[in-house]
Each structure stands twice: as structure tokens, then as C-alpha cells.
Amino acid sequence: MFNNRENVRHPTLARARIKDVFEGEALLKDLSITGCCIECTMYINIKPDTEYKVEIIPESQAQIGNFELVVSSRWIKTSAYSCEIGFAVISSPKGKLFQRYVDYISWRAAAV
């Protein structure tokens, strides 16, 4: 599943809020222009192939404001201690902030 990606996903230090589903914040584990993975320490009731709005809160070092993504759930993996959810990105109402953040995490990954 992960090796056949069209775009490389870059690890992030951002947080995410899944609107109208989960009140707390989760970890944005990785991100690309086409998709992302969110991880949290508790089960979230996400339905497969369903659209959600996710608020992304970039780490302060990125110096990029919060932005929202419209995503569609693709897979869910649960374990005893965490829940990971894979999403496909459908759109971003604030596309410039989204693109700046993807550029930032790509640059950061290349600098290591």
C-alpha cells in the first residue's frame, strides 16, 4: 500500500483536528499534496470513503498559519495504543498555506 504512492509523503510535526468527529488534537504523521496520515491515541469513529474537514496546525518553526483540508478516508489501522487513518486530499480552501507547508516539510526532509 505504501510503496505505490505517486507522491512522497513527508513526516511532519503538525497537529490536526478532524472537525465534527473528534474534539481533541491528533498528530499529522505525514503529508503530501495527495494524501496524509493522522495518528491519535484513541479510537476515532471514521467511516471509509467519507469526506471530512481537517484543520492542520503546523509547528511554530514553519511560520505558516493554520489551514483546512477536505479529505476522504482511505484506510484505518487500529492497535491497542493508537489509531492511524489514511486520507486522500480532495481540496484545500487555503491552497497557498497548504502548498507552503508541503514545500517546507519537503525542504526540511531534504536538509537532513
Side-chain angles (χ1 to χ4, degrees), residues 10-105:
H10 301 287
T12 75
L13 300 172
R15 294 170 289 139
R17 290 188 190 120
I18 304 171
K19 295 188 174 191
D20 302 323
V21 175
F22 180 63
E23 293 297 319
E25 291 181 353
L27 171 70
L28 180 65
K29 193 171 177 180
D30 59 39
L31 178 69
S32 75
I33 290 294
T34 58
C36 65
C37 177
I38 293 176
E39 180 178 27
C40 62
T41 56
M42 59 187 293
Y43 176 76
I44 301 176
N45 189 22
I46 297 288
K47 296 177 182 138
D49 299 314
T50 304
E51 286 188 18
Y52 296 94
K53 290 183 180 179
V54 177
E55 180 185 9
I56 305 299
I57 304 135
E59 61 272 23
S60 60
Q61 296 88 342
Q63 298 181 355
I64 297 169
N66 297 1
F67 57 92
E68 189 175 272
L69 298 176
V70 177
V71 297
S72 177
S73 56
R74 293 295 183 238
W75 54 266
I76 301 165
K77 182 175 131 184
T78 58
S79 70
Y81 303 105
S82 68
C83 176
E84 288 186 14
I85 308 153
F87 294 99
V89 174
I90 296 171
S91 68
S92 176
K94 293 185 179 179
K96 289 183 181 183
L97 292 176
F98 173 43
Q99 183 62 54
R100 281 183 53 210
Y101 188 61
V102 171
D103 290 345
Y104 169 77
I105 60 175

